[in-house]
Amino acid sequence: MSFNVLNDAALNQLFRDARTVHAFKDTPVSDAVIHQLYDLLKWCPTAFNAQPARYVFLKTAEAKAKLIPALMPGNVPQVQSAAVTVIVAQDTRFHEHLPTQFPGYDAKPLFDANPAMTEATAARNSSMQGAYLILAARALGLDVGAMSGFNPQAVNEAFFADGRFKANFLINLGVADPAGVHPRGPRLAFDEAAQIL
């Protein structure tokens, strides 16, 4: 059986040549590109088609100023230089959308009755959706720097005061400044990280 494998140029752009970027050029990213990005990442598979991720795209200096106090000091320049910083959050009440998003059967009561499952499902699936955002951005030619060096509670207080959404992680987007691209770190070999049973 043959598989429809992407060509090497595409695989290089998505994986092999891509790097976590720590500084960006002063090149804007349009709202149209952000919409195009969402129109790709929204196809990410999620449990029960739940789609718990929520995204806040910070473009303006004023919006980023609300985020800066929550960052570890070393991450401030990355956010300041990025054309866009995305807060990838999770909707704690994502299951309210299940009647329209998962019409196969009434799955909402499963989550209504089980807060622990709701929290785990939101965290796991919003993380996966954020990973798809990274791939979608790279597919569109953007450079990416994902970050977890921040105070989630401070982000929640600044952006999600009603408590429904909870910050998961941050993603900086734009055009890489070569000074902010470091050599790739090593990766574990297959036998160190995987097994086939």
Short mmCIF file of all heavy atoms in Angstrom, two decimals, residues 44-72:
data_model
loop_
_atom_site.label_atom_id
_atom_site.label_comp_id
_atom_site.label_asym_id
_atom_site.label_seq_id
_atom_site.Cartn_x
_atom_site.Cartn_y
_atom_site.Cartn_z
N CYS A 44 -8.74 20.16 13.63
CA CYS A 44 -8.06 19.26 14.58
C CYS A 44 -9.07 18.30 15.20
O CYS A 44 -10.16 18.70 15.61
CB CYS A 44 -7.42 20.11 15.68
SG CYS A 44 -6.83 19.20 17.10
N PRO A 45 -8.72 17.01 15.28
CA PRO A 45 -9.62 16.07 15.96
C PRO A 45 -9.61 16.31 17.48
O PRO A 45 -8.57 16.59 18.06
CB PRO A 45 -9.02 14.70 15.62
CG PRO A 45 -7.57 14.98 15.40
CD PRO A 45 -7.49 16.36 14.80
N THR A 46 -10.78 16.23 18.08
CA THR A 46 -10.90 16.33 19.54
C THR A 46 -11.93 15.31 20.01
O THR A 46 -12.82 14.92 19.27
CB THR A 46 -11.34 17.74 19.98
OG1 THR A 46 -12.54 18.11 19.29
CG2 THR A 46 -10.26 18.78 19.71
N ALA A 47 -11.79 14.89 21.26
CA ALA A 47 -12.73 13.93 21.83
C ALA A 47 -14.14 14.49 21.78
O ALA A 47 -14.37 15.65 22.16
CB ALA A 47 -12.34 13.62 23.28
N PHE A 48 -15.08 13.70 21.30
CA PHE A 48 -16.48 14.11 21.17
C PHE A 48 -16.64 15.35 20.27
O PHE A 48 -17.62 16.05 20.37
CB PHE A 48 -17.11 14.40 22.54
CG PHE A 48 -17.20 13.21 23.44
CD1 PHE A 48 -16.18 12.93 24.34
CD2 PHE A 48 -18.30 12.37 23.40
CE1 PHE A 48 -16.26 11.83 25.18
CE2 PHE A 48 -18.40 11.27 24.24
CZ PHE A 48 -17.36 11.00 25.13
N ASN A 49 -15.63 15.63 19.44
CA ASN A 49 -15.62 16.87 18.64
C ASN A 49 -15.86 18.08 19.54
O ASN A 49 -16.53 19.05 19.17
CB ASN A 49 -16.67 16.81 17.52
CG ASN A 49 -16.44 17.87 16.46
OD1 ASN A 49 -15.30 18.22 16.14
ND2 ASN A 49 -17.50 18.40 15.92
N ALA A 50 -15.29 18.03 20.75
CA ALA A 50 -15.61 19.00 21.79
C ALA A 50 -15.01 20.38 21.56
O ALA A 50 -15.57 21.37 22.02
CB ALA A 50 -15.13 18.47 23.14
N GLN A 51 -13.86 20.46 20.90
CA GLN A 51 -13.23 21.74 20.57
C GLN A 51 -13.16 22.69 21.78
O GLN A 51 -13.67 23.81 21.72
CB GLN A 51 -14.00 22.41 19.42
CG GLN A 51 -14.17 21.55 18.19
CD GLN A 51 -15.27 22.08 17.30
OE1 GLN A 51 -15.15 23.14 16.71
NE2 GLN A 51 -16.38 21.33 17.22
N PRO A 52 -12.52 22.28 22.88
CA PRO A 52 -12.52 23.13 24.07
C PRO A 52 -11.58 24.33 24.01
O PRO A 52 -11.67 25.21 24.87
CB PRO A 52 -12.09 22.17 25.18
CG PRO A 52 -11.22 21.18 24.47
CD PRO A 52 -11.86 20.99 23.13
N ALA A 53 -10.67 24.39 23.04
CA ALA A 53 -9.72 25.50 23.00
C ALA A 53 -10.42 26.80 22.63
O ALA A 53 -11.34 26.83 21.82
CB ALA A 53 -8.59 25.20 22.02
N ARG A 54 -9.94 27.87 23.25
CA ARG A 54 -10.36 29.22 22.90
C ARG A 54 -9.08 30.03 22.69
O ARG A 54 -8.08 29.81 23.37
CB ARG A 54 -11.23 29.85 24.00
CG ARG A 54 -12.50 29.07 24.30
CD ARG A 54 -13.47 29.06 23.13
NE ARG A 54 -14.68 28.29 23.41
CZ ARG A 54 -14.86 27.02 23.04
NH1 ARG A 54 -13.91 26.37 22.39
NH2 ARG A 54 -15.99 26.39 23.33
N TYR A 55 -9.11 30.96 21.76
CA TYR A 55 -7.91 31.67 21.34
C TYR A 55 -8.11 33.17 21.46
O TYR A 55 -9.11 33.71 21.00
CB TYR A 55 -7.57 31.34 19.89
CG TYR A 55 -7.66 29.86 19.58
CD1 TYR A 55 -8.84 29.31 19.07
CD2 TYR A 55 -6.59 29.00 19.82
CE1 TYR A 55 -8.93 27.95 18.79
CE2 TYR A 55 -6.68 27.65 19.54
CZ TYR A 55 -7.86 27.13 19.03
OH TYR A 55 -7.96 25.79 18.77
N VAL A 56 -7.15 33.84 22.07
CA VAL A 56 -7.13 35.29 22.10
C VAL A 56 -5.86 35.72 21.37
O VAL A 56 -4.74 35.41 21.81
CB VAL A 56 -7.15 35.85 23.54
CG1 VAL A 56 -7.13 37.37 23.52
CG2 VAL A 56 -8.36 35.33 24.29
N PHE A 57 -6.03 36.41 20.24
CA PHE A 57 -4.91 36.84 19.41
C PHE A 57 -4.56 38.28 19.80
O PHE A 57 -5.34 39.21 19.55
CB PHE A 57 -5.28 36.76 17.93
CG PHE A 57 -5.50 35.36 17.43
CD1 PHE A 57 -6.74 34.76 17.51
CD2 PHE A 57 -4.44 34.64 16.88
CE1 PHE A 57 -6.94 33.46 17.04
CE2 PHE A 57 -4.62 33.34 16.42
CZ PHE A 57 -5.87 32.75 16.50
N LEU A 58 -3.41 38.46 20.42
CA LEU A 58 -2.97 39.78 20.89
C LEU A 58 -2.06 40.40 19.83
O LEU A 58 -0.97 39.89 19.57
CB LEU A 58 -2.22 39.65 22.21
CG LEU A 58 -2.92 38.89 23.34
CD1 LEU A 58 -2.03 38.82 24.56
CD2 LEU A 58 -4.26 39.51 23.67
N LYS A 59 -2.52 41.51 19.24
CA LYS A 59 -1.73 42.19 18.20
C LYS A 59 -1.27 43.57 18.64
O LYS A 59 -0.19 44.01 18.27
CB LYS A 59 -2.56 42.32 16.92
CG LYS A 59 -2.81 41.03 16.18
CD LYS A 59 -3.64 41.26 14.92
CE LYS A 59 -2.95 42.16 13.92
NZ LYS A 59 -3.70 42.30 12.66
N THR A 60 -2.09 44.26 19.40
CA THR A 60 -1.78 45.65 19.74
C THR A 60 -0.88 45.74 20.96
O THR A 60 -0.82 44.83 21.80
CB THR A 60 -3.07 46.44 20.03
OG1 THR A 60 -3.67 45.91 21.23
CG2 THR A 60 -4.05 46.34 18.87
N ALA A 61 -0.18 46.86 21.06
CA ALA A 61 0.67 47.10 22.23
C ALA A 61 -0.16 47.12 23.51
O ALA A 61 0.28 46.64 24.56
CB ALA A 61 1.42 48.41 22.06
N GLU A 62 -1.38 47.66 23.41
CA GLU A 62 -2.25 47.73 24.59
C GLU A 62 -2.65 46.33 25.06
O GLU A 62 -2.66 46.05 26.27
CB GLU A 62 -3.52 48.55 24.26
CG GLU A 62 -3.27 50.02 23.99
CD GLU A 62 -2.71 50.30 22.58
OE1 GLU A 62 -2.78 49.41 21.71
OE2 GLU A 62 -2.20 51.41 22.38
N ALA A 63 -2.97 45.46 24.11
CA ALA A 63 -3.36 44.10 24.48
C ALA A 63 -2.18 43.35 25.09
O ALA A 63 -2.31 42.65 26.11
CB ALA A 63 -3.88 43.35 23.26
N LYS A 64 -1.01 43.51 24.48
CA LYS A 64 0.18 42.82 25.01
C LYS A 64 0.57 43.37 26.38
O LYS A 64 1.10 42.63 27.22
CB LYS A 64 1.33 42.94 24.03
CG LYS A 64 1.15 42.09 22.78
CD LYS A 64 2.38 42.17 21.91
CE LYS A 64 2.23 41.32 20.67
NZ LYS A 64 3.45 41.34 19.84
N ALA A 65 0.33 44.66 26.62
CA ALA A 65 0.66 45.26 27.91
C ALA A 65 -0.10 44.59 29.05
O ALA A 65 0.39 44.52 30.18
CB ALA A 65 0.38 46.76 27.89
N LYS A 66 -1.30 44.08 28.77
CA LYS A 66 -2.06 43.34 29.79
C LYS A 66 -1.42 42.00 30.10
O LYS A 66 -1.58 41.47 31.20
CB LYS A 66 -3.49 43.11 29.30
CG LYS A 66 -4.37 44.34 29.26
CD LYS A 66 -5.73 44.03 28.67
CE LYS A 66 -6.51 43.01 29.50
NZ LYS A 66 -7.88 42.78 28.95
N LEU A 67 -0.69 41.44 29.12
CA LEU A 67 -0.07 40.13 29.29
C LEU A 67 1.30 40.21 29.95
O LEU A 67 1.69 39.32 30.71
CB LEU A 67 0.07 39.45 27.92
CG LEU A 67 0.71 38.07 27.89
CD1 LEU A 67 -0.15 37.06 28.65
CD2 LEU A 67 0.91 37.61 26.44
N ILE A 68 2.05 41.29 29.67
CA ILE A 68 3.45 41.41 30.10
C ILE A 68 3.64 41.12 31.60
O ILE A 68 4.56 40.38 31.96
CB ILE A 68 4.01 42.80 29.74
CG1 ILE A 68 4.04 43.00 28.21
CG2 ILE A 68 5.39 43.02 30.35
CD1 ILE A 68 4.94 42.08 27.45
N PRO A 69 2.81 41.65 32.51
CA PRO A 69 3.06 41.40 33.93
C PRO A 69 2.98 39.92 34.32
O PRO A 69 3.51 39.53 35.37
CB PRO A 69 1.96 42.20 34.64
CG PRO A 69 1.56 43.25 33.66
CD PRO A 69 1.70 42.60 32.31
N ALA A 70 2.32 39.10 33.52
CA ALA A 70 2.18 37.68 33.83
C ALA A 70 3.35 36.84 33.32
O ALA A 70 3.44 35.66 33.65
CB ALA A 70 0.88 37.14 33.23
N LEU A 71 4.26 37.44 32.55
CA LEU A 71 5.34 36.68 31.92
C LEU A 71 6.57 36.58 32.81
O LEU A 71 6.86 37.50 33.59
CB LEU A 71 5.75 37.35 30.61
CG LEU A 71 4.69 37.52 29.54
CD1 LEU A 71 5.26 38.30 28.36
CD2 LEU A 71 4.16 36.17 29.08
N MET A 72 7.31 35.49 32.66
CA MET A 72 8.65 35.44 33.22
C MET A 72 9.47 36.51 32.50
O MET A 72 9.29 36.72 31.28
CB MET A 72 9.27 34.07 33.02
CG MET A 72 8.62 32.96 33.83
SD MET A 72 9.32 31.32 33.50
CE MET A 72 11.02 31.57 33.94
#
